Amino acid sequence: MVLESKILTAKEWKGYKSRPFLIAGPCSAESEEQVMATAREVAQIKDISVFRAGIWKPRTRPNSFEGVGTEGLKWLRAVKQETGLMVGIEVANEKHVYEALKYGIDMLWIGARTSVNPFTVQEISDALSGVDVMVLVKNPINPDLELWIGAIERIAKAGITRLGAIHRGFSAYEKSVYRNHPNWQLPIELRRRIPDLPIICDPSHISGARQYLYEISQKALDLNFDGLMIESHIDPERALSDSAQQLTPNDLKELLSRLILRNPVASDPKLLDILGELRQQIDIFDDSLVEILEKRMQVAETIGKYKKENNITILQPTRWDEIIRKVMVNGRSRGLSSELIDTIFKAIHQESINHQMRIMNNGIAESEENS
Ligand code: PEP
Ligand code: MN
């Protein structure tokens, strides 16, 4: 997919120092002292390009700290002057954009609660028309890749060339150790759909707790993300928002020093040969998997015909229970995770039901209709 405006790679961004592109700073700007003290220490960490701070805070419940507003923009202007770091804030409407531009903010990000709303994203895009500023679009709260891409396309239409995405995880009803589910397959698919778009990972909002920041950051680097945005506060325990996930600048420095940066592409010809052969094997296995699935569905369709003739329901719960138990035991004994077996076999079972439904309702399978 090609976006309407030419977008720059992360390497071409103003202030790019090295991979990963680093953005750090407090969840919220709280006071001039807190902002300046954090910024002075963050500026000492090698390779940080942008100092972030939320000025208007989207909070789940009212009566929480909702940000200091325009006053904080003056503090960020001072950070820029004193430390030379670029500065970035969240914008959630056109007023925020105009205020940010008035105070020389270098980077704007669209938050997860805003990128869900095409009206608001369009309003922000209109306010950005013809402006040269860096804009990063966070994923919407719900795992909807089309909505995320739609928001990116709207911003690209304004002519923004320093454009990127931020992966901050997705809300889910089920409890998990992370505050927001990473659902890594979404940013991976985003990369496939818009290969040139820089993607930054936000381990802070995925983790929700300091102890997971390192593993999420390392995973993002191993998945070839272009950068990281990590929340850092001079005194995390007393932070007015997201206290549990913020790091002191010192701890941030230590975390960054432990990250391992691997090469995105192999260049050694011997290694390329070995990888090439192994990939051929993978391709052969993938082809076999698809063929086996086709054969399995053909048998399911035959079963469907018998069910139809004998007036039996498609879903046979005892048989399904027997299948899932058997493959779980088999899978586990072969070192496959229960999660994988569960996901794959639920999908296969659903596909079998779909094939049988077509047989029941039309008398012919779609594959026959299409042939
Ligand atoms: C933030 O970055 O502080 C923030 C509010 O993020 P999100 O929109 O990802 O929740
Ligand atoms: Mn936050």
Side-chain angles (χ1 to χ4, degrees):
M1 178 203 278
V2 182
L3 293 176
E4 278 192 29
S5 68
K6 146 123 193 72
I7 47 168
L8 300 178
T9 62
K11 273 197 185 126
E12 295 168 304
W13 283 350
K14 204 160 77 184
Y16 176 91
K17 292 180 178 159
S18 64
R19 184 171 161 260
F21 185 86
L22 294 174
I23 303 168
C27 178
S28 304
E30 299 166 7
S31 68
E32 186 168 6
E33 296 68 43
Q34 170 252 3
V35 166
M36 296 312 295
T38 309
R40 282 183 192 122
E41 291 203 9
V42 164
Q44 298 305 312
I45 306 174
K46 195 172 151 282
D47 292 340
I48 301 238
S49 294
V50 182
F51 181 76
R52 63 149 281 158
I55 296 291
W56 297 282
K57 297 303 299 177
R59 304 309 298 279
T60 303
R61 309 281 299 270
N63 308 324
S64 324
F65 171 67
E66 292 192 313
V68 293
T70 302
E71 176 73 5
L73 294 171
K74 298 182 190 148
W75 310 334
L76 290 180
R77 193 166 56 187
V79 166
K80 190 171 160 175
Q81 274 163 6
E82 189 183 314
T83 66
L85 288 170
M86 297 199 293
V87 289
I89 65 162
E90 173 175 346
V91 291
N93 58 39
E94 64 174 8
K95 175 185 161 260
H96 295 167
V97 174
Y98 295 136
E99 290 284 282
L101 296 176
K102 202 156 79 189
Y103 285 86
I105 301 297
D106 305 281
M107 184 271 274
L108 311 177
W109 81 83
I110 298 180
R113 292 160 193 77
T114 305
S115 52
V116 286
N117 186 339
F119 286 130
T120 316
V121 176
Q122 189 57 49
E123 173 187 313
I124 292 171
S125 169
D126 292 343
L128 285 169
S129 180
V131 175
D132 182 20
V133 67
M134 180 173 165
V135 183
L136 302 178
V137 182
K138 283 201 173 195
N139 64 258
I141 292 194
N142 52 326
D144 184 338
L145 181 60
E146 297 309 314
L147 202 53
W148 195 3
I149 290 179
I152 292 162
E153 285 172 331
R154 284 179 197 277
I155 302 301
K157 271 176 182 260
I160 296 293
T161 56
R162 284 181 293 145
L163 177 60
I166 300 180
H167 168 232
R168 51 79 76 197
F170 303 88
S171 195
Y173 185 64
E174 311 91 64
K175 271 259 153 283
S176 125
V177 290
Y178 299 133
R179 176 177 175 192
N180 290 293
H181 279 258
N183 286 348
W184 295 102
Q185 70 279 10
L186 268 92
I188 290 171
E189 178 63 7
L190 176 63
R191 166 121 307 154
R192 195 184 70 78
R193 298 271 297 273
I194 319 180
D196 296 334
L197 185 78
I199 309 181
I200 307 283
C201 181
D202 171 349
S204 304
H205 291 89
I206 292 175
S207 306
R210 280 182 274 286
Q211 79 230 56
Y212 305 121
L213 288 172
Y214 177 78
E215 64 190 52
I216 297 286
S217 304
Q218 184 61 55
K219 182 125 194 210
L221 293 188
D222 290 339
L223 291 173
N224 204 13
F225 277 60
D226 298 276
L228 298 171
M229 170 149 111
I230 304 182
E231 289 186 340
S232 176
H233 190 290
I234 194 72
D235 187 359
E237 301 302 333
R238 285 197 225 174
L240 298 182
S241 58
D242 290 352
S243 168
Q245 71 194 31
Q246 302 206 59
L247 284 179
T248 61
N250 227 3
D251 288 345
L252 172 63
K253 186 173 164 188
E254 192 268 332
L255 180 151
L256 294 172
S257 74
R258 282 192 291 130
L259 291 175
I260 300 164
L261 195 62
R262 298 185 169 93
N263 288 327
V265 282
S267 52
D268 172 7
K270 229 167 146 188
L271 176 62
L272 282 172
D273 266 2
I274 297 173
L275 289 180
E277 268 173 39
L278 293 171
R279 284 175 180 151
Q280 266 178 14
Q281 287 185 34
I282 294 273
D283 288 348
I284 292 169
F285 286 129
D286 286 348
D287 286 346
S288 312
L289 282 173
V290 174
E291 269 171 43
I292 288 177
L293 285 174
E294 183 199 12
K295 291 195 182 114
R296 193 193 189 283
M297 293 311 148
Q298 284 166 353
V299 175
E301 284 179 11
T302 308
I303 293 179
K305 282 178 196 150
Y306 281 106
K307 285 181 182 164
K308 186 179 163 84
E309 279 166 22
N310 294 282
N311 216 18
I312 306 171
T313 56
I314 290 177
L315 182 65
Q316 298 287 313
T318 12
R319 169 67 181 144
W320 167 229
D321 188 53
E322 182 196 336
I323 292 178
I324 194 84
R325 278 173 197 276
K326 215 167 56 187
V327 288
M328 274 291 178
V329 173
N330 190 0
R332 267 199 228 121
S333 75
R334 291 167 190 272
L336 301 172
S337 69
S338 313
E339 197 188 11
L340 175 80
I341 299 289
D342 188 68
T343 311
I344 289 186
F345 276 88
K346 277 187 183 149
I348 291 177
H349 185 237
Q350 184 59 55
E351 182 73 10
S352 289
I353 290 177
N354 294 349
H355 279 250
Q356 294 192 11
M357 283 282 185
R358 273 188 237 124
I359 300 267
M360 285 274 182
N361 298 327
N362 307 326
I364 38 168
E366 198 176 67
S367 55
E368 290 171 25
E369 277 169 7
N370 293 339
S371 61

PDB file of all heavy atoms in Angstrom, residues 223-246:
ATOM      1  N   LEU A 223      11.843  -7.615  16.609  1.00  0.00           N
ATOM      2  CA  LEU A 223      10.854  -7.601  15.519  1.00  0.00           C
ATOM      3  C   LEU A 223      11.134  -6.434  14.571  1.00  0.00           C
ATOM      4  O   LEU A 223      10.296  -6.081  13.748  1.00  0.00           O
ATOM      5  CB  LEU A 223       9.435  -7.514  16.091  1.00  0.00           C
ATOM      6  CG  LEU A 223       8.962  -8.774  16.828  1.00  0.00           C
ATOM      7  CD1 LEU A 223       7.612  -8.542  17.499  1.00  0.00           C
ATOM      8  CD2 LEU A 223       8.869  -9.950  15.864  1.00  0.00           C
ATOM      9  N   ASN A 224      12.290  -5.810  14.759  1.00  0.00           N
ATOM     10  CA  ASN A 224      12.748  -4.780  13.827  1.00  0.00           C
ATOM     11  C   ASN A 224      11.936  -3.484  13.863  1.00  0.00           C
ATOM     12  O   ASN A 224      11.753  -2.834  12.835  1.00  0.00           O
ATOM     13  CB  ASN A 224      12.776  -5.372  12.408  1.00  0.00           C
ATOM     14  CG  ASN A 224      13.731  -4.627  11.518  1.00  0.00           C
ATOM     15  OD1 ASN A 224      14.536  -3.831  12.020  1.00  0.00           O
ATOM     16  ND2 ASN A 224      13.635  -4.843  10.232  1.00  0.00           N
ATOM     17  N   PHE A 225      11.427  -3.128  15.038  1.00  0.00           N
ATOM     18  CA  PHE A 225      10.784  -1.826  15.181  1.00  0.00           C
ATOM     19  C   PHE A 225      11.847  -0.740  15.002  1.00  0.00           C
ATOM     20  O   PHE A 225      13.026  -0.967  15.258  1.00  0.00           O
ATOM     21  CB  PHE A 225      10.154  -1.680  16.575  1.00  0.00           C
ATOM     22  CG  PHE A 225       8.799  -2.304  16.703  1.00  0.00           C
ATOM     23  CD1 PHE A 225       8.604  -3.655  16.483  1.00  0.00           C
ATOM     24  CD2 PHE A 225       7.696  -1.532  17.063  1.00  0.00           C
ATOM     25  CE1 PHE A 225       7.350  -4.235  16.610  1.00  0.00           C
ATOM     26  CE2 PHE A 225       6.436  -2.093  17.188  1.00  0.00           C
ATOM     27  CZ  PHE A 225       6.256  -3.443  16.965  1.00  0.00           C
ATOM     28  N   ASP A 226      11.411   0.457  14.597  1.00  0.00           N
ATOM     29  CA  ASP A 226      12.372   1.541  14.343  1.00  0.00           C
ATOM     30  C   ASP A 226      12.747   2.303  15.599  1.00  0.00           C
ATOM     31  O   ASP A 226      13.772   2.979  15.624  1.00  0.00           O
ATOM     32  CB  ASP A 226      11.774   2.535  13.339  1.00  0.00           C
ATOM     33  CG  ASP A 226      11.508   1.858  12.012  1.00  0.00           C
ATOM     34  OD1 ASP A 226      12.447   1.759  11.217  1.00  0.00           O
ATOM     35  OD2 ASP A 226      10.371   1.391  11.792  1.00  0.00           O
ATOM     36  N   GLY A 227      11.886   2.261  16.614  1.00  0.00           N
ATOM     37  CA  GLY A 227      12.197   3.055  17.796  1.00  0.00           C
ATOM     38  C   GLY A 227      11.389   2.634  19.004  1.00  0.00           C
ATOM     39  O   GLY A 227      10.544   1.735  18.940  1.00  0.00           O
ATOM     40  N   LEU A 228      11.668   3.312  20.116  1.00  0.00           N
ATOM     41  CA  LEU A 228      10.975   3.037  21.374  1.00  0.00           C
ATOM     42  C   LEU A 228      10.551   4.347  22.010  1.00  0.00           C
ATOM     43  O   LEU A 228      11.293   5.339  21.958  1.00  0.00           O
ATOM     44  CB  LEU A 228      11.918   2.321  22.354  1.00  0.00           C
ATOM     45  CG  LEU A 228      12.464   0.944  21.952  1.00  0.00           C
ATOM     46  CD1 LEU A 228      13.547   0.500  22.937  1.00  0.00           C
ATOM     47  CD2 LEU A 228      11.335  -0.087  21.905  1.00  0.00           C
ATOM     48  N   MET A 229       9.369   4.354  22.598  1.00  0.00           N
ATOM     49  CA  MET A 229       8.933   5.506  23.402  1.00  0.00           C
ATOM     50  C   MET A 229       8.710   4.971  24.812  1.00  0.00           C
ATOM     51  O   MET A 229       7.836   4.116  25.031  1.00  0.00           O
ATOM     52  CB  MET A 229       7.650   6.113  22.841  1.00  0.00           C
ATOM     53  CG  MET A 229       7.021   7.137  23.751  1.00  0.00           C
ATOM     54  SD  MET A 229       6.147   8.418  22.825  1.00  0.00           S
ATOM     55  CE  MET A 229       4.480   8.051  23.233  1.00  0.00           C
ATOM     56  N   ILE A 230       9.529   5.445  25.764  1.00  0.00           N
ATOM     57  CA  ILE A 230       9.450   4.910  27.129  1.00  0.00           C
ATOM     58  C   ILE A 230       9.227   6.054  28.121  1.00  0.00           C
ATOM     59  O   ILE A 230       9.921   7.077  28.073  1.00  0.00           O
ATOM     60  CB  ILE A 230      10.744   4.131  27.486  1.00  0.00           C
ATOM     61  CG1 ILE A 230      10.994   3.025  26.441  1.00  0.00           C
ATOM     62  CG2 ILE A 230      10.649   3.532  28.883  1.00  0.00           C
ATOM     63  CD1 ILE A 230      12.217   2.153  26.697  1.00  0.00           C
ATOM     64  N   GLU A 231       8.258   5.856  29.011  1.00  0.00           N
ATOM     65  CA  GLU A 231       7.965   6.904  29.987  1.00  0.00           C
ATOM     66  C   GLU A 231       9.016   6.944  31.099  1.00  0.00           C
ATOM     67  O   GLU A 231       9.371   5.905  31.670  1.00  0.00           O
ATOM     68  CB  GLU A 231       6.576   6.686  30.596  1.00  0.00           C
ATOM     69  CG  GLU A 231       5.471   6.981  29.596  1.00  0.00           C
ATOM     70  CD  GLU A 231       4.074   6.912  30.184  1.00  0.00           C
ATOM     71  OE1 GLU A 231       3.881   6.289  31.249  1.00  0.00           O
ATOM     72  OE2 GLU A 231       3.162   7.492  29.569  1.00  0.00           O
ATOM     73  N   SER A 232       9.474   8.159  31.395  1.00  0.00           N
ATOM     74  CA  SER A 232      10.487   8.318  32.438  1.00  0.00           C
ATOM     75  C   SER A 232      10.167   9.561  33.277  1.00  0.00           C
ATOM     76  O   SER A 232       9.856  10.620  32.728  1.00  0.00           O
ATOM     77  CB  SER A 232      11.864   8.458  31.779  1.00  0.00           C
ATOM     78  OG  SER A 232      12.833   8.701  32.759  1.00  0.00           O
ATOM     79  N   HIS A 233      10.226   9.385  34.588  1.00  0.00           N
ATOM     80  CA  HIS A 233       9.821  10.441  35.520  1.00  0.00           C
ATOM     81  C   HIS A 233      10.912  10.577  36.575  1.00  0.00           C
ATOM     82  O   HIS A 233      11.477   9.564  37.012  1.00  0.00           O
ATOM     83  CB  HIS A 233       8.489  10.012  36.155  1.00  0.00           C
ATOM     84  CG  HIS A 233       7.794  11.059  36.961  1.00  0.00           C
ATOM     85  ND1 HIS A 233       8.265  11.505  38.184  1.00  0.00           N
ATOM     86  CD2 HIS A 233       6.636  11.731  36.734  1.00  0.00           C
ATOM     87  CE1 HIS A 233       7.431  12.408  38.672  1.00  0.00           C
ATOM     88  NE2 HIS A 233       6.425  12.568  37.806  1.00  0.00           N
ATOM     89  N   ILE A 234      11.175  11.777  37.005  1.00  0.00           N
ATOM     90  CA  ILE A 234      12.241  12.006  37.978  1.00  0.00           C
ATOM     91  C   ILE A 234      11.933  11.310  39.312  1.00  0.00           C
ATOM     92  O   ILE A 234      12.832  10.887  40.030  1.00  0.00           O
ATOM     93  CB  ILE A 234      12.492  13.538  38.162  1.00  0.00           C
ATOM     94  CG1 ILE A 234      13.793  13.822  38.883  1.00  0.00           C
ATOM     95  CG2 ILE A 234      11.319  14.239  38.819  1.00  0.00           C
ATOM     96  CD1 ILE A 234      15.014  13.551  38.072  1.00  0.00           C
ATOM     97  N   ASP A 235      10.633  11.147  39.609  1.00  0.00           N
ATOM     98  CA  ASP A 235      10.230  10.508  40.861  1.00  0.00           C
ATOM     99  C   ASP A 235       8.960   9.675  40.591  1.00  0.00           C
ATOM    100  O   ASP A 235       7.841  10.077  40.949  1.00  0.00           O
ATOM    101  CB  ASP A 235       9.944  11.621  41.889  1.00  0.00           C
ATOM    102  CG  ASP A 235       9.675  11.067  43.267  1.00  0.00           C
ATOM    103  OD1 ASP A 235       9.688   9.828  43.429  1.00  0.00           O
ATOM    104  OD2 ASP A 235       9.435  11.879  44.182  1.00  0.00           O
ATOM    105  N   PRO A 236       9.136   8.507  39.953  1.00  0.00           N
ATOM    106  CA  PRO A 236       7.976   7.723  39.486  1.00  0.00           C
ATOM    107  C   PRO A 236       6.928   7.446  40.564  1.00  0.00           C
ATOM    108  O   PRO A 236       5.729   7.473  40.290  1.00  0.00           O
ATOM    109  CB  PRO A 236       8.591   6.414  38.998  1.00  0.00           C
ATOM    110  CG  PRO A 236      10.008   6.738  38.701  1.00  0.00           C
ATOM    111  CD  PRO A 236      10.406   7.835  39.628  1.00  0.00           C
ATOM    112  N   GLU A 237       7.399   7.183  41.796  1.00  0.00           N
ATOM    113  CA  GLU A 237       6.443   6.843  42.864  1.00  0.00           C
ATOM    114  C   GLU A 237       5.424   7.959  43.064  1.00  0.00           C
ATOM    115  O   GLU A 237       4.294   7.707  43.466  1.00  0.00           O
ATOM    116  CB  GLU A 237       7.175   6.604  44.196  1.00  0.00           C
ATOM    117  CG  GLU A 237       8.217   5.484  44.164  1.00  0.00           C
ATOM    118  CD  GLU A 237       7.632   4.136  43.761  1.00  0.00           C
ATOM    119  OE1 GLU A 237       6.432   3.928  44.004  1.00  0.00           O
ATOM    120  OE2 GLU A 237       8.380   3.323  43.180  1.00  0.00           O
ATOM    121  N   ARG A 238       5.855   9.179  42.817  1.00  0.00           N
ATOM    122  CA  ARG A 238       4.935  10.306  43.052  1.00  0.00           C
ATOM    123  C   ARG A 238       4.281  10.831  41.779  1.00  0.00           C
ATOM    124  O   ARG A 238       3.686  11.916  41.804  1.00  0.00           O
ATOM    125  CB  ARG A 238       5.700  11.436  43.734  1.00  0.00           C
ATOM    126  CG  ARG A 238       5.931  11.101  45.178  1.00  0.00           C
ATOM    127  CD  ARG A 238       6.289  12.331  45.921  1.00  0.00           C
ATOM    128  NE  ARG A 238       7.414  12.007  46.765  1.00  0.00           N
ATOM    129  CZ  ARG A 238       8.073  12.863  47.475  1.00  0.00           C
ATOM    130  NH1 ARG A 238       7.756  14.130  47.420  1.00  0.00           N
ATOM    131  NH2 ARG A 238       9.057  12.473  48.250  1.00  0.00           N
ATOM    132  N   ALA A 239       4.435  10.092  40.679  1.00  0.00           N
ATOM    133  CA  ALA A 239       3.863  10.570  39.412  1.00  0.00           C
ATOM    134  C   ALA A 239       2.342  10.685  39.528  1.00  0.00           C
ATOM    135  O   ALA A 239       1.704   9.859  40.188  1.00  0.00           O
ATOM    136  CB  ALA A 239       4.235   9.605  38.295  1.00  0.00           C
ATOM    137  N   LEU A 240       1.783  11.687  38.890  1.00  0.00           N
ATOM    138  CA  LEU A 240       0.331  11.904  38.970  1.00  0.00           C
ATOM    139  C   LEU A 240      -0.446  11.017  37.993  1.00  0.00           C
ATOM    140  O   LEU A 240      -1.658  10.934  38.060  1.00  0.00           O
ATOM    141  CB  LEU A 240       0.008  13.376  38.715  1.00  0.00           C
ATOM    142  CG  LEU A 240       0.609  14.371  39.719  1.00  0.00           C
ATOM    143  CD1 LEU A 240       0.187  15.796  39.392  1.00  0.00           C
ATOM    144  CD2 LEU A 240       0.195  14.008  41.151  1.00  0.00           C
ATOM    145  N   SER A 241       0.269  10.383  37.054  1.00  0.00           N
ATOM    146  CA  SER A 241      -0.390   9.409  36.169  1.00  0.00           C
ATOM    147  C   SER A 241       0.620   8.314  35.837  1.00  0.00           C
ATOM    148  O   SER A 241       1.827   8.560  35.804  1.00  0.00           O
ATOM    149  CB  SER A 241      -0.878  10.085  34.871  1.00  0.00           C
ATOM    150  OG  SER A 241       0.191  10.691  34.182  1.00  0.00           O
ATOM    151  N   ASP A 242       0.125   7.120  35.611  1.00  0.00           N
ATOM    152  CA  ASP A 242       0.958   5.965  35.216  1.00  0.00           C
ATOM    153  C   ASP A 242       2.206   5.770  36.079  1.00  0.00           C
ATOM    154  O   ASP A 242       3.299   5.471  35.556  1.00  0.00           O
ATOM    155  CB  ASP A 242       1.339   6.079  33.730  1.00  0.00           C
ATOM    156  CG  ASP A 242       0.127   5.855  32.818  1.00  0.00           C
ATOM    157  OD1 ASP A 242      -0.936   5.466  33.335  1.00  0.00           O
ATOM    158  OD2 ASP A 242       0.258   6.075  31.612  1.00  0.00           O
ATOM    159  N   SER A 243       2.030   5.883  37.373  1.00  0.00           N
ATOM    160  CA  SER A 243       3.151   5.772  38.307  1.00  0.00           C
ATOM    161  C   SER A 243       3.877   4.424  38.210  1.00  0.00           C
ATOM    162  O   SER A 243       5.110   4.360  38.197  1.00  0.00           O
ATOM    163  CB  SER A 243       2.598   6.011  39.710  1.00  0.00           C
ATOM    164  OG  SER A 243       3.514   5.658  40.669  1.00  0.00           O
ATOM    165  N   ALA A 244       3.105   3.329  38.110  1.00  0.00           N
ATOM    166  CA  ALA A 244       3.710   1.983  38.173  1.00  0.00           C
ATOM    167  C   ALA A 244       4.579   1.646  36.969  1.00  0.00           C
ATOM    168  O   ALA A 244       5.400   0.734  37.017  1.00  0.00           O
ATOM    169  CB  ALA A 244       2.607   0.936  38.309  1.00  0.00           C
ATOM    170  N   GLN A 245       4.390   2.344  35.852  1.00  0.00           N
ATOM    171  CA  GLN A 245       5.130   1.958  34.639  1.00  0.00           C
ATOM    172  C   GLN A 245       6.279   2.900  34.313  1.00  0.00           C
ATOM    173  O   GLN A 245       7.018   2.659  33.362  1.00  0.00           O
ATOM    174  CB  GLN A 245       4.170   1.864  33.439  1.00  0.00           C
ATOM    175  CG  GLN A 245       3.645   3.214  32.958  1.00  0.00           C
ATOM    176  CD  GLN A 245       2.457   3.083  32.018  1.00  0.00           C
ATOM    177  OE1 GLN A 245       1.670   2.152  32.134  1.00  0.00           O
ATOM    178  NE2 GLN A 245       2.324   4.001  31.078  1.00  0.00           N
ATOM    179  N   GLN A 246       6.454   3.981  35.105  1.00  0.00           N
ATOM    180  CA  GLN A 246       7.511   4.936  34.757  1.00  0.00           C
ATOM    181  C   GLN A 246       8.834   4.560  35.425  1.00  0.00           C
ATOM    182  O   GLN A 246       8.868   3.984  36.505  1.00  0.00           O
ATOM    183  CB  GLN A 246       7.088   6.347  35.160  1.00  0.00           C
ATOM    184  CG  GLN A 246       5.781   6.749  34.490  1.00  0.00           C
ATOM    185  CD  GLN A 246       5.637   8.242  34.334  1.00  0.00           C
ATOM    186  OE1 GLN A 246       6.457   8.885  33.692  1.00  0.00           O
ATOM    187  NE2 GLN A 246       4.603   8.804  34.930  1.00  0.00           N
TER     188      GLN A 246
END
